[in-house]
């Protein structure tokens, strides 16, 4: 039976002929939207780790994180090929020499076939992309940009600190390099319903990104979103609704779009709502069931 969508695992296996395991890294680079110097305050849902592993705060260098990540991937998946993923915060935010030093720490590992760099669309320059291109010249490079919504009204409501135009500019700039582009989107943002979420997907389809990561908005303790939630001013998206929207979104996209993620992965100890965000497997099953419905003639 034909797969319902192109997963990252399948895409990488087709490219490299073997399983490729992503190794999440925390370079501790911070983020211009929550840097105390810029006083912007951060996205209203941002957790203290900037959606990363927190490894930087435990004092682990990139090299040490790579070593332990590869060890784990070999044990767990018998993986022989790896793709470091600069995940936490904004991984192009920093002095160019510092970035060079961080990126280069991944290079010495055998089996390293590519790299993924997560950042904000307003935090990328030609100079940084050139650096990435020089360092990872014979590797597959994914640039991951957080868009979250294609509505400036929503972006302002969640205090993203960038606009849709910033994302468009980042895509244009990135297309000058032989890189792949993955967009992050969030469903269930305040003020958004099905119409707004599908508009975001249509925008991404039209701009032609290579991959998408889907996340539900979840409430993390002690964030501005948590305060809204406590006052009853924000209500989380329902699990079934989320699954249906994700399936519908996938059915809108070209088949070659790599679906890198179907749902978020909150830390149990920091999650306030929705409860179902802890139950990834059920959500994924629901999405697949909806996809079968959407795809059946
Ligand atoms: S862009 Fe990411 S790290 Fe920066 S404030 Fe928003 S959620 Fe936090």
């Amino acid at each position: 039976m034909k797969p319902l969508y192109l997963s990252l695992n399948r895409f990488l296996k087709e490219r490299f002929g073997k399983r490729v395991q992503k190794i999440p890294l925390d370079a501790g680079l911070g983020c211009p939207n929550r840097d105390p110097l810029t006083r912007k305050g951060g996205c209203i849902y941002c957790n203290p780790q900037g959606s990363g592993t927190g490894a930087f705060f435990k004092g682990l260098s990139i090299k040490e994180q790579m070593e332990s990540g590869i060890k784990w991937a070999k044990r767990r998946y018998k993986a022989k090929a790896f793709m470091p993923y600069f995940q936490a915060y904004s991984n192009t935010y920093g002095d160019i020499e510092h970035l060079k030093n961080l990126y280069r720490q991944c290079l010495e590992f055998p089996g390293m076939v590519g790299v993924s760099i997560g950042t904000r669309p307003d935090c990328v320059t030609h100079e940084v992309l050139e650096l990435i291109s020089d360092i990872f010249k014979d590797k597959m490079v994914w640039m991951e940009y957080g868009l979250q919504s294609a509505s400036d009204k929503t972006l302002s409501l969640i205090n993203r600190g960038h606009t849709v135009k910033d994302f468009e500019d980042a895509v244009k700039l990135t297309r000058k390099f032989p890189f792949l582009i993955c967009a992050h989107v969030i469903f269930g943002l305040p003020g958004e319903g099905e119409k707004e979420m599908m508009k975001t997907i249509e925008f991404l389809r039209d701009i032609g990104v290579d991959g998408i990561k889907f996340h539900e908005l979840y409430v993390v303790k002690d964030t501005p979103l948590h305060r809204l939630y406590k006052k009853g001013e924000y209500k989380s998206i329902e699990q079934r609704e989320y699954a249906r929207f994700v399936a519908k979104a996938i059915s809108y996209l070209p088949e070659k779009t790599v679906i890198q993620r179907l749902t978020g992965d909150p830390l149990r100890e920091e999650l306030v709502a929705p409860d179902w965000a802890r139950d990834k497997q059920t959500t994924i099953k629901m999405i697949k069931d909806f996809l079968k419905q959407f795809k059946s003639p």
Side-chain angles (χ1 to χ4, degrees), residues 15-294:
R15 269 304 164 94
F16 296 104
K18 54 189 153 191
R19 183 178 179 107
V20 178
Q21 192 60 41
K22 258 180 146 177
I23 309 292
L25 300 173
D26 181 346
L29 282 167
C31 166
N33 200 34
R34 52 174 287 159
D35 191 325
L37 286 174
T38 61
R39 296 191 180 185
K40 291 184 176 170
C43 306
I44 62 169
Y45 49 80
C46 184
N47 76 355
Q49 273 91 30
S51 305
T53 59
F56 176 79
F57 294 108
K58 291 179 199 144
L60 295 174
S61 69
I62 292 296
K63 214 171 142 200
E64 287 165 328
Q65 293 177 48
M66 281 291 288
E67 278 162 0
S68 63
I70 287 175
K71 222 169 159 184
W72 167 82
K74 282 183 174 170
R75 204 176 46 236
R76 178 93 158 74
Y77 299 110
K78 310 226 175 317
K80 293 192 173 70
F82 312 98
M83 182 178 278
Y85 170 33
F86 286 86
Q87 177 184 29
Y89 302 107
S90 305
N91 290 286
T92 49
Y93 186 50
D95 168 74
I96 204 91
E97 283 306 313
H98 183 49
L99 294 176
K100 190 194 277 183
N101 171 43
L102 289 171
Y103 298 155
R104 287 172 87 160
Q105 288 183 48
C106 309
L107 280 178
E108 63 187 75
F109 292 90
M112 198 276 227
V113 294
V115 67
S116 236
I117 298 179
T119 192
R120 292 168 53 86
D122 62 347
C123 188
V124 65
T125 60
H126 195 275
E127 194 188 12
V128 173
L129 292 177
E130 213 158 46
L131 173 75
I132 293 167
S133 172
D134 285 348
I135 293 180
F136 301 108
K137 46 181 162 307
D138 52 345
K139 312 283 184 216
M140 174 186 280
V141 175
W142 279 93
M143 290 304 299
E144 298 194 20
Y145 296 124
L147 170 68
Q148 320 311 1
S149 165
S151 153
D152 278 330
K153 191 175 157 206
T154 306
L155 294 182
S156 161
L157 203 66
I158 61 174
N159 201 35
R160 270 300 285 178
H162 68 73
T163 60
V164 178
K165 168 84 170 43
D166 289 325
F167 181 85
E168 286 173 317
D169 290 345
V171 168
K172 247 185 239 160
L173 192 63
T174 309
R175 287 293 179 221
K176 295 183 177 157
F177 297 84
F179 300 163
L180 295 159
I181 299 173
C182 177
H184 294 196
V185 300
I186 299 181
F187 280 177
L189 289 167
E192 293 215 340
E194 181 168 358
K195 196 171 117 217
E196 290 76 16
M197 293 180 234
M198 293 309 135
K199 265 194 162 172
T200 297
I201 300 307
E202 281 166 3
F203 167 81
L204 290 171
R205 180 191 62 195
D206 295 346
I207 210 168
V209 293
D210 305 289
I212 297 201
K213 278 187 176 173
F214 292 99
H215 306 82
E216 70 280 25
L217 181 61
Y218 52 80
V219 183
V220 165
K221 269 181 207 152
D222 302 328
T223 57
L225 184 64
H226 188 193
R227 292 191 274 286
L228 289 179
Y229 179 80
K230 281 195 285 198
K231 284 195 271 172
E233 290 172 20
Y234 172 72
K235 191 173 164 289
S236 296
I237 190 167
E238 299 288 338
Q239 187 175 27
R240 211 177 147 70
E241 211 180 13
Y242 174 79
R244 189 170 70 77
F245 293 157
V246 173
K248 193 170 176 186
I250 294 173
S251 70
Y252 273 27
L253 294 164
E255 285 189 3
K256 63 176 185 187
T257 311
V258 185
I259 307 302
Q260 292 214 17
R261 182 179 262 280
L262 290 171
T263 176
D265 209 358
L267 292 173
R268 279 174 184 268
E269 58 277 18
E270 67 177 21
L271 180 73
V272 175
D275 270 348
W276 62 262
R278 294 190 175 98
D279 185 9
K280 269 176 76 172
Q281 291 320 315
T282 304
T283 309
I284 292 170
K285 185 178 178 312
M286 277 183 179
I287 294 170
K288 289 183 177 171
D289 288 346
F290 275 118
L291 261 175
K292 281 180 204 149
Q293 285 176 31
F294 285 130

